[in-house]
Amino acid sequence: MIRILTLLTGLALLGACTETQLNEAPEDLGAFKLRVNYAYAEKAVQGPVSRDATPDEWTAAIQNAVDVRLGRYEGSQEIDIGISLEGYMLAPPGVPVLFSPKSTAIVLVNVYDVEQKEYLAKAHQIQVLEDTTSESAVVGSGHARTREEQMAGLALKVADRVEEWFAEEHKKNGWFDLRPEASTTLQDGAVTQNPAQS
């Protein structure tokens, strides 16, 4: 818990970054197809001075962002994604320039190959920092954005980073390469576990 709080505090004080767009151009993800999208936020650590948010609110924000970004791929290799929110800090209103923290989140990502019945990755850590706009740079995120807007922005950054990570793994390690025996139909049986909690 102390490690998460330290990371949250450090990230919240970092500088600006480029703004992430909702509908950016797709990456090369080979035969990737999202089957199930899990999010889990029950154990998330809330950072110092953070605005409050419920696990259900975080779950909805993350699942929506992942659906938008990764639900658009229509390959034949079905993948389940589990994202566990470990910690967050939603910047409150502060004194512009002197004290203007940025919202941040830390997640762990599990990736499960449905056909091969194996994990491609477990507990891959991603840390994101909210985008800075001209308005938030001047008056601070806590003044420029509601907590819902902060959560949506961080969730989108998480989905964006997952998508970019998948593209890197596909290129370097053959994730989502088309398999000759790949089926376009759903595999037998229901999902028996939540990959976000594995």
Side-chain angles (χ1 to χ4, degrees):
M1 181 174 178
I2 293 175
R3 181 176 64 87
I4 293 294
L5 286 172
T6 301
L7 285 170
L8 289 171
T9 302
L11 283 171
L13 297 176
L14 291 177
C17 50
T18 57
E19 187 170 0
T20 305
Q21 302 299 317
L22 184 63
N23 294 311
E24 293 185 0
E27 301 280 354
D28 178 8
L29 299 189
F32 172 87
K33 181 178 182 179
L34 178 65
R35 185 182 76 149
V36 178
N37 163 25
Y38 288 106
Y40 180 75
E42 294 294 334
K43 64 177 182 177
V45 176
Q46 182 173 323
V49 306
S50 174
R51 287 169 159 170
D52 294 331
T54 69
D56 286 345
E57 289 173 324
W58 272 115
T59 296
I62 293 171
Q63 287 182 329
N64 180 67
V66 171
D67 279 338
V68 169
R69 275 304 184 82
L70 295 170
R72 57 185 172 166
Y73 295 91
E74 299 181 350
S76 58
Q77 185 174 336
E78 293 184 320
I79 300 295
D80 291 349
I81 300 173
I83 298 179
S84 174
L85 179 67
E86 299 296 296
Y88 69 92
M89 201 285 281
L90 299 176
V95 180
V97 181
L98 295 178
F99 178 69
S100 183
K102 296 169 67 66
S103 300
T104 183
I106 300 170
V107 301
L108 297 179
V109 185
N110 295 326
V111 187
Y112 184 75
D113 186 318
V114 176
E115 184 176 358
Q116 297 297 309
K117 295 182 173 59
E118 65 181 10
Y119 280 91
L120 297 176
K122 276 191 168 187
H124 176 77
Q125 182 172 296
I126 291 177
Q127 305 169 13
V128 297
L129 196 66
E130 73 177 317
D131 292 328
T132 297
T133 63
S134 57
E135 183 181 15
S136 66
V138 175
V139 302
S141 169
H143 290 287
R145 298 185 179 113
T146 66
R147 69 184 186 91
E148 290 82 7
E149 290 171 333
Q150 291 172 330
M151 292 172 68
L154 289 172
L156 178 59
K157 289 291 289 272
V158 167
D160 182 66
R161 289 283 299 279
V162 169
E163 186 178 33
E164 291 173 350
W165 170 48
F166 281 7
E168 292 171 3
E169 292 294 343
H170 172 59
K171 181 178 181 180
K172 295 178 182 178
N173 298 314
W175 284 19
F176 322 127
D177 282 348
L178 182 64
R179 294 189 287 260
E181 72 279 9
S183 171
T184 58
T185 61
L186 290 177
Q187 299 301 308
D188 61 21
V191 178
T192 58
Q193 60 181 333
N194 180 338
Q197 297 173 263
S198 298

